[in-house]
């Protein structure tokens, strides 16, 4: 069964994702540059892992097929992105309080 929904309904969420990444990663990098070495390394690793996940997931053919978007599992794609964000948030919040510095 072919859906009558237009692909244009995907544009708002991709615009929001792009805006969030454009604002968060530079701010996160600037914040981490003034922190202890391990905190800066953790933030840089998280940013690199998120970038790699964003590059790798579209190549999973069963999730995002080339033929028809109705045959894909976009729910798995976005759940894995959400899980990665949740894990990085948990890791950042579990950092010792002295890693935040005086201006946190």
């Amino acid at each position: 069964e072919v859906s009558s929904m237009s692909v244009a309904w995907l544009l708002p969420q991709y615009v929001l994702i792009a805006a969030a990444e454009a604002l968060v990663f530079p701010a996160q990098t600037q914040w981490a540059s003034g922190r202890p070495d391990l905190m800066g390394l953790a933030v840089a690793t998280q940013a690199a892992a998120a970038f790699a996940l964003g590059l790798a997931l579209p190549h999973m053919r069963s999730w995002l097929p080339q033929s028809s978007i109705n045959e894909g599992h976009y729910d798995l794609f976005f759940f894995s992105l959400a899980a990665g964000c949740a894990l990085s948030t948990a890791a950042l919040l579990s950092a010792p309080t002295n890693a935040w510095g005086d201006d946190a």
Side-chain angles (χ1 to χ4, degrees):
E1 176 181 329
V2 176
S3 175
S4 62
M5 185 185 302
S6 172
V7 74
W9 285 100
L10 293 173
L11 289 177
Q13 67 188 11
Y14 284 118
V15 168
L16 288 175
I17 290 170
E21 288 182 2
L23 295 174
V24 168
F25 284 141
Q28 189 179 42
T29 304
Q30 183 180 6
W31 176 82
S33 65
R35 301 292 176 249
D37 291 336
L38 288 178
M39 181 57 75
L41 180 62
V43 170
T45 303
Q46 183 269 335
F51 183 72
L53 185 65
L55 287 177
L57 286 178
H59 296 289
M60 304 197 71
R61 298 294 180 202
S62 64
W63 288 8
L64 304 176
Q66 298 292 327
S67 59
S68 171
I69 62 171
N70 294 323
E71 297 172 1
H73 293 281
Y74 289 92
D75 55 339
L76 298 176
F77 176 75
F78 287 108
F79 283 144
S80 61
L81 288 178
C85 290
L87 287 174
S88 66
T89 300
L92 190 61
L93 292 177
S94 68
T97 55
N98 62 357
W100 298 106
D102 296 333
D103 60 345

